[in-house]
Amino acid sequence: MTTAVASELRRQELARFLRSRRERITPEQVGLPLVGRRRTPGLRREEVAQLAGVGVTWYTWLEQGRDINASEQVLQAIARTLRLDPHEHTHLFRLAGAPEPDRERDCQVITPAMELMLKKLEPYPVAVRNARCDLLAYNRGYTWLMGDVDAIPFEDRNTLVQCLLNPDWRERMLDWDTNIPRVIASFRAAMAEHVAEPAWKNLVKRLKAESPLFAELWPQHDVNSEPIRTKRYLHPDVGLLRFNFTYLYYGRRSEITVSTYTPADEETAAKLPLMFD
């Protein structure tokens, strides 16, 4: 099979994949009003284009399997609009002939051995993140502390996004007002090595649009690489909790960290669940 034929087959498969995912999403799911009679199931092409912030003609060509190049930024926007799960997200990039997204590559480091380690550390909360604050893995102790993380859409499982945009997280973090400027400053420091990467720029753009505090603090260019060592939480069932943080890096040059929350006092230790079902 020639390269040209293989590329054509891949584009046609991409077209079919996009159509199938567009047709499974209802207007109500994305907050669009039902106006008039709809001849096709799911969203219309122009609605996907509008929600993703791309041109209608360009998106139509993509669904028609035309020979056009899609940037990572555009593919990420389409993936969010179509609510793709992690496997579908990676599949979209492969069909589009684009490099695998950073987050998907990072998720591959979560080996069975690491998953076992996270489980064995329960009931202590443990979370694995990359430099962009994407939440790559976590144990049941972490969901007990922060709420139902599994219910958060995959594309929103980012601790910076949740700290700034999720009221439930803000209520649980007692020192939010003090710590969040340091978290933003730490994120800016980490971004120094990723300033040209679309995923990072898209995250900044989103937070500037949706978080007034982020929009206020980001232009100040404050940086801080010193991690927060102790945090306080207000759990809805057991009340005040104090944790010390231990940060372990996955490798010498890795930006992936394993954060372990250990009780800072006996009162907190006594409140942790003894076991999970």
Side-chain angles (χ1 to χ4, degrees):
M1 182 183 299
T2 66
T3 302
V5 172
S7 296
E8 173 65 20
L9 291 174
R10 179 173 50 78
R11 290 195 302 272
Q12 292 303 320
E13 180 62 23
L14 172 61
R16 289 189 289 267
F17 177 67
L18 288 173
R19 285 196 296 272
S20 70
R21 293 307 178 263
R22 172 171 59 83
E23 291 173 353
R24 73 178 183 179
I25 298 179
T26 64
E28 297 94 330
Q29 287 178 294
V30 293
L32 293 177
L34 280 174
V35 179
R37 186 176 179 181
R38 303 179 73 91
R39 292 178 297 177
T40 58
L43 298 177
R44 300 186 178 104
R45 286 175 177 170
E46 56 268 26
E47 291 170 337
V48 173
Q50 177 186 356
L51 292 168
V54 301
V56 176
T57 300
W58 188 94
Y59 180 77
T60 299
W61 286 351
L62 197 63
E63 269 207 16
Q64 290 174 343
R66 298 203 187 187
D67 189 7
I68 57 176
N69 293 321
S71 68
E72 179 185 342
Q73 182 176 358
V74 167
L75 292 174
Q76 295 282 17
I78 292 173
R80 287 195 300 271
T81 300
L82 297 179
R83 301 191 172 191
L84 303 186
D85 66 25
H87 304 291
E88 295 168 332
H89 195 269
T90 300
H91 188 60
L92 170 66
F93 271 68
R94 288 174 179 169
L95 290 177
E100 192 173 1
D102 290 341
R103 183 165 183 165
E104 275 62 40
R105 289 198 299 269
D106 288 347
C107 285
Q108 293 172 8
V109 308
I110 310 302
T111 62
M114 182 176 285
E115 291 178 350
L116 179 61
M117 182 185 73
L118 267 60
K119 183 175 178 61
K120 289 297 184 181
L121 287 171
E122 293 172 354
Y124 292 174
V126 183
V128 183
R129 306 176 182 89
N130 61 15
R132 200 173 53 245
C133 302
D134 293 324
L135 192 56
L136 306 178
Y138 47 87
N139 65 3
R140 290 177 294 180
Y142 188 79
T143 61
W144 174 82
L145 177 65
M146 302 308 302
D148 189 2
V149 183
D150 291 337
I152 299 173
F154 178 77
E155 63 273 14
D156 290 338
R157 290 181 194 171
N158 177 286
T159 54
L160 187 55
V161 168
Q162 293 305 312
C163 287
L164 286 166
L165 305 181
N166 187 336
D168 182 57
W169 278 44
R170 181 168 182 169
E171 290 178 3
R172 291 172 185 249
M173 303 171 71
L174 285 180
D175 301 311
W176 187 92
D177 292 331
T178 302
N179 288 339
I180 198 63
R182 294 179 60 186
V183 173
I184 294 173
S186 178
F187 174 74
R188 180 178 275 284
M191 191 173 176
E193 298 184 18
H194 306 274
V195 291
E197 297 179 22
W200 288 73
K201 293 191 293 184
N202 288 342
L203 179 56
V204 170
K205 181 179 179 181
R206 176 188 179 184
L207 292 174
K208 287 171 69 175
E210 299 182 24
S211 169
L213 179 62
F214 186 90
E216 174 189 346
L217 295 179
W218 189 251
Q220 298 178 15
H221 289 266
D222 291 338
V223 293
N224 187 341
S225 299
E226 181 64 27
I228 301 171
R229 298 295 182 182
T230 303
K231 293 182 183 179
R232 299 188 305 156
Y233 293 86
L234 185 63
H235 193 278
D237 296 329
V238 300
L240 177 64
L241 299 166
R242 298 181 181 88
F243 288 100
N244 293 325
F245 277 62
T246 301
Y247 300 91
L248 304 175
Y249 283 88
Y250 188 71
R252 178 174 297 181
R253 297 183 179 276
S254 176
E255 293 183 321
I256 295 174
T257 57
V258 180
S259 303
T260 304
Y261 302 50
T262 54
D265 52 45
E266 293 183 0
E267 182 180 356
T268 297
K271 292 178 179 178
L272 294 181
L274 296 178
M275 64 183 65
F276 291 97
D277 295 331

